[in-house]
Each structure stands twice: as C-alpha cells, then as structure tokens.
C-alpha cells in the first residue's frame, strides 16, 4: 500500500529537520551515531543521513590536509582514490568510516556515495584525468597557497675589487688581464763623448774665423 502525498511530505520534512540537527554535532558524536546505526538491524533514512553528513565532512578534512594539497598542486587535482586513501590511512578521525559504512551498503554503492560527497564538499572536476578516473580540484576556500620560491640575493662586488681590476698590472711579462696603461715613449739621449767633441770643434771654428788685428 503506497503512502499518501501528505505522509510523504511529512517524512521529507522529518528527514530535513533531522539532517539539520546533524550539522550541530561534532565529528566524534556523528561517528558514534553511525557506529550504533551500523550495529543495529535496521538502516533507515536517518542512518543514511548520518553517513552522508560524515562523508562530506571527511572529504572536507581531506582537502585541508597538506598531503592532498601537495597532490593537487603537482598533478592538477586529486582522484577519488586519493581522497579515500587519506581518509582510511592518514585521518585520525575518519579512519573507521568506510569500514562502518560497508557493514550496511555494497562497495559499489559506497563509491557512488563518496563521489557525490566530493561534489557536496566543494571539489570541482579538473580538465585532466588519471586513466579513466576523474581528477578533482580541491575546494578553493580550503586550499593553502603554495609557498613562493624566492631566489637568494646576488652577491655584489665590493668597490675595492672593481678598482683593483681596473688598475694596470705593470710589467710586460705578467700575462695577466685587465686594462694596461700604454708606456710613455722614452727620449733618446745623445752620447756624452760626441756631444762634448762637437762643442769643442764649434768653438775652434769660431776662433779661426775672427780676423787678427795688426798693430
């Protein structure tokens, strides 16, 4: 016998109200509620809401991890498997979540539910894929910006070093580089003996050219 539209509306309102109360619960409280639900004989709409709320929170927590942020930067997004690996292996809070859910639902159904949780958590599909698997960019509101790489300042040469480089090295056989000042041409000095002899000869010629007076 099918339920009336009024009864269905009441059930939806009840589920919405219950889902709203879950938002005020801590992760630990929700995990305890899920544990109780998975150990019971039933699996009702409320139990599903608990699982759905935890799935979204687990995906958000994964996005806040430095491990997924590093993968997101290096590979342009993360896969659903990357998210689940962090939840199962690296999370201190949600490490038992998948095991509890698989007590009540099939692995395939769980995988579909986690794919929806990734979208609810704010991930956006990347243009790249890993094989057949989609890659997802992390929610922009939880990504920590990458640390910029700053190049070390270049070493400046001291003025004394520059001045020493510009000074002439001195000598012609040094072979060193640098700017050399061209040597000044040296004046050739006359030989001392030739110079004195020339002066004496000039003086003698002057004496002989003077006419002698006759008294």
């Amino acid at each position: 016998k099918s339920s009336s539209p009024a009864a269905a509306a009441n059930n939806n309102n009840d589920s919405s109200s219950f889902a709203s109360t879950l938002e005020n619960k801590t992760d630990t409280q929700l995990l305890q509620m899920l544990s109780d639900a998975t150990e019971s004989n039933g699996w009702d709409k409320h139990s599903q809401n608990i699982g759905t709320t935890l799935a979204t929170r687990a995906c958000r927590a994964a996005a806040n991890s430095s491990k997924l942020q590093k993968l997101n930067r290096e590979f342009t997004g993360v896969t659903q498997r990357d998210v689940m690996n962090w939840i199962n292996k690296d999370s201190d809070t949600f490490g038992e979540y998948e095991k509890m859910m698989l007590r009540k639902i099939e692995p395939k159904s769980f995988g579909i539910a986690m794919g929806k949780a990734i979208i609810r958590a704010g991930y956006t599909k990347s243009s790249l894929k890993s094989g057949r698997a989609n890659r997802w960019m992390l929610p922009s509101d939880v990504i920590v910006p990458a640390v910029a790489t700053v190049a070390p300042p270049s070493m400046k040469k001291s003025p004394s070093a520059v001045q020493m480089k510009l000074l002439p090295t001195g000598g012609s056989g040094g072979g060193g580089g640098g700017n050399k000042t061209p040597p000044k041409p040296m004046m050739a000095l006359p030989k001392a003996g030739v110079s004195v002899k020339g002066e004496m000869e000039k003086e003698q010629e002057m004496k002989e050219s003077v006419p002698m007076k006759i008294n």
Side-chain angles (χ1 to χ4, degrees):
K1 184 178 179 180
S2 60
S3 59
S4 64
N10 289 334
N11 289 336
N12 290 335
N13 291 336
D14 180 58
S15 297
S16 299
S17 177
F18 180 73
S20 298
T21 62
L22 296 179
E23 296 300 328
N24 298 323
K25 303 288 185 181
T26 65
D27 295 337
T28 302
Q29 290 173 328
L30 289 174
L31 288 166
Q32 184 58 54
M33 294 171 67
L34 180 65
S35 177
D36 295 339
T38 57
E39 291 176 358
S40 66
N41 293 328
W43 184 250
D44 55 14
K45 189 70 174 179
H46 287 181
S47 302
Q48 295 175 26
N49 286 339
I50 297 170
T52 298
T53 303
L54 280 169
T56 305
R57 291 193 184 186
C59 291
R60 294 282 297 182
N64 276 295
S65 70
S66 59
K67 182 175 182 179
L68 259 70
Q69 289 170 7
K70 184 173 183 291
L71 291 173
N72 186 73
R73 290 192 298 268
E74 293 180 354
F75 300 101
T76 316
V78 298
T79 64
Q80 183 173 325
R81 179 45 52 191
D82 292 330
V83 176
M84 292 309 305
N85 283 341
W86 184 87
I87 293 173
N88 292 330
K89 299 177 181 179
D90 299 318
S91 174
D92 295 332
T93 302
F94 301 101
E96 298 297 316
Y97 171 71
E98 182 175 358
K99 294 179 181 178
M100 288 191 287
M101 290 295 294
L102 292 180
R103 295 174 189 167
K104 292 297 184 179
I105 63 176
E106 296 294 326
K108 184 177 181 180
S109 299
F110 177 75
I112 294 173
M114 290 306 300
K116 294 178 180 179
I118 285 176
I119 297 174
R120 285 197 307 272
Y123 292 65
T124 55
K125 188 179 294 186
S126 170
S127 59
L128 301 180
K129 287 191 173 186
S130 291
R132 298 175 60 185
N134 290 323
R135 299 197 72 84
W136 299 88
M137 301 298 294
L138 301 188
S140 59
D141 60 326
V142 297
I143 293 180
V144 177
V147 179
T149 302
V150 180
S154 58
M155 297 295 293
K156 295 183 177 180
K157 295 182 178 179
S158 63
S160 58
V162 176
Q163 186 178 4
M164 290 177 64
K165 184 176 180 182
L166 296 178
L167 288 174
T169 57
S172 58
N179 298 329
K180 296 183 179 180
T181 304
K184 294 181 180 181
M186 297 181 64
M187 296 181 64
L189 297 176
K191 295 183 180 179
V194 175
S195 177
V196 173
K197 182 178 179 180
E199 293 295 327
M200 292 176 65
E201 290 177 349
K202 289 181 179 180
E203 184 178 354
Q204 183 63 30
E205 291 175 355
M206 290 178 67
K207 287 180 179 181
E208 293 176 353
S209 62
V210 175
M212 295 180 63
K213 294 180 179 182
I214 301 175
N215 295 327

